[in-house]
Amino acid sequence: MNNHDLPRWATAFVMPILNLLSALLVAALVIYLLGESPVESMGILINSAVVNPEGLSYTLFYASTFIFTGLAVSIAMQAGLFNIGAEGQMYFAGLGLTLAMLAFDSSLPMWLLIPVGMIGAALFGALWAFLPGYLQAKRGSHVVVTTIMFNYIAGALMNTVIVKYLVPAGEQNPASRAFSAAAEMPRLNQWFPVLGETPLNISFFLAIIALVIYGVMVSRSSWGFKLRATGLNKHAAHYAGVRISKMIITVMLISGALAGLGSVNSIMGSTHYLSLNFVGGAGFVGIAIALMGRQHPVGIFLSAVLFGALIQGGFDLSLEKQNIPPETFIFIQGLIILFCGAMENFYAPAIAALIKRKK
């Protein structure tokens, strides 16, 4: 029995859980070597990120952004494309959102301004993904290489634009001016005071809606069938009537737009201005979420919440345990990527042997 013969419950549930546990066991060993108790540290992390309502609010706030970047990577993977450019796409999308806010935040009401900002973010994110998609479809340039390059180009471009053109006169902070109150995403603590003064906002619900739309489009539509066929076998999909180049460009545009929407939570939901490096690695976290979540909407959601919990709980844990530096949790994220990505089929032979033995 090879990996493709494993039942769906094994590939979609058992293997990701085993891979995650393996990463956490290695992380526990590292924490032990740092001189701290792994059990006590895990208790602090869970309490800070999940049990405490304010901590849970921060966890879901981070997860809102990660859902969008996870979806961006996932939908590209459905077509057999590895979009590593969500970081740059989200960064450039922040410029589109900010330009829309600077132009209209003093003249449009909130119910119009928020959709305008989202459209600006999605358009600029899609624009930044277009050229890598076009080069892959029309010139055969590998999308991994081009999207990596575009991450660096986005960083250099945004640094120039923000510092040279968007910083208000007389200001030292490398950021745009603050948006008006009409450009702020409504926060959930307005309806749930128990969440405390946290930035969790309606972007969380927008992310859930995006997950549902993604699930329906990929699994329940004719376009989704063509998308998955392209990812499984481009030659067979071509002979079945799928225009491969058009599909690649379309998927990259959608992927970039989804990555771009991640900037809405970070900017309109939290800072209310565009700053340098506001993405903070969320695009790269999206890669881990897509791999761990197996491009399934439920898996993406759970993975996004897990990474949100690692950030929120890890911050508090590093404050309480001086021997555990904040960088430890970047290491843990890397472990999860390693086990859920490069070593995703590590346990497949053992699972296949167990299933065969029970038959």
Side-chain angles (χ1 to χ4, degrees):
M1 180 180 290
N2 57 43
N3 297 349
H4 298 290
D5 295 326
L6 288 173
R8 184 171 178 81
W9 58 265
T11 58
F13 180 74
V14 176
M15 284 172 56
I17 293 296
L18 290 175
N19 291 330
L20 174 61
L21 290 176
S22 299
L24 294 179
L25 283 174
V26 176
L29 176 61
V30 171
I31 291 174
Y32 176 78
L33 293 175
L34 290 172
E36 300 290 351
S37 167
V39 175
E40 182 183 359
S41 299
M42 182 60 69
I44 294 172
L45 191 150
I46 293 174
N47 182 71
S48 171
V50 180
V51 177
N52 180 276
E54 187 171 338
L56 177 62
S57 179
Y58 273 106
T59 294
L60 296 180
F61 167 73
Y62 297 129
S64 301
T65 298
F66 296 157
I67 287 172
F68 281 112
T69 56
L71 283 173
V73 178
S74 293
I75 197 163
M77 292 179 76
Q78 294 283 358
L81 304 171
F82 201 13
N83 177 18
I84 305 184
E87 185 86 358
Q89 291 150 18
M90 180 176 166
Y91 203 1
F92 191 65
L95 177 61
L97 186 158
T98 299
L99 292 177
M101 294 302 99
L102 296 180
F104 300 112
D105 68 343
S106 61
S107 58
L108 293 181
M110 178 185 292
W111 63 273
L112 270 179
L113 196 59
I114 289 177
V116 166
M118 293 176 63
I119 291 171
L123 284 176
F124 270 59
L127 177 63
W128 204 248
F130 168 74
L131 192 54
Y134 177 85
L135 291 173
Q136 167 84 36
K138 301 295 187 179
R139 295 292 182 265
S141 302
H142 204 293
V143 74
V144 170
V145 177
T146 53
T147 51
I148 289 175
M149 291 172 58
F150 268 60
N151 283 336
Y152 289 104
I153 296 171
L157 176 64
M158 291 295 289
N159 183 76
T160 301
V161 170
I162 293 173
V163 173
K164 192 170 183 180
Y165 299 105
L166 295 182
V167 176
E171 294 287 337
Q172 298 298 318
N173 184 34
S176 71
R177 70 164 174 83
F179 307 150
S180 71
E184 298 179 9
M185 299 289 278
R187 297 191 173 183
L188 299 192
N189 57 22
Q190 297 176 16
W191 303 287
F192 308 101
V194 69
L195 296 176
E197 293 299 319
T198 63
L200 181 63
N201 58 83
I202 62 171
S203 292
F204 176 69
F205 296 127
L206 297 176
I208 299 300
I209 293 171
L211 280 170
V212 173
I213 294 173
Y214 165 85
V216 172
M217 288 299 296
V218 169
S219 302
R220 305 293 179 183
S221 71
S222 59
W223 182 83
F225 175 79
K226 295 176 183 178
L227 170 70
R228 288 180 284 115
T230 302
L232 291 171
N233 191 318
K234 287 184 173 60
H235 296 292
H238 170 72
Y239 285 111
V242 179
R243 294 177 58 187
I244 302 301
S245 60
K246 180 181 178 181
M247 178 61 74
I248 289 174
I249 294 173
T250 301
V251 169
M252 285 300 295
L253 287 172
I254 296 172
S255 179
L258 286 168
L261 288 173
S263 66
V264 175
N265 182 53
S266 300
I267 298 177
M268 295 178 71
S270 179
T271 61
H272 308 129
Y273 57 81
L274 177 66
S275 60
L276 287 176
N277 301 319
F278 77 90
V279 182
F284 296 122
V285 172
I287 299 172
I289 289 169
L291 291 170
M292 186 176 171
R294 299 297 177 102
Q295 300 96 60
H296 190 280
V298 176
I300 293 169
F301 173 79
L302 294 176
S303 301
V305 171
L306 170 65
F307 276 86
L310 283 175
I311 291 177
Q312 169 58 23
F315 176 76
D316 284 357
L317 181 58
S318 64
L319 292 177
E320 293 195 33
K321 299 292 184 180
Q322 299 299 320
N323 291 335
I324 304 178
E327 292 77 16
T328 303
F329 296 91
I330 299 176
F331 171 71
I332 294 175
Q333 290 178 14
L335 284 175
I336 294 174
I337 294 173
L338 174 65
F339 279 96
C340 295
M343 299 174 62
E344 67 172 334
N345 294 317
F346 181 76
Y347 292 103
I351 295 172
L354 285 174
I355 295 174
K356 188 175 181 180
R357 186 178 302 174
K358 289 185 177 182
K359 287 187 175 181

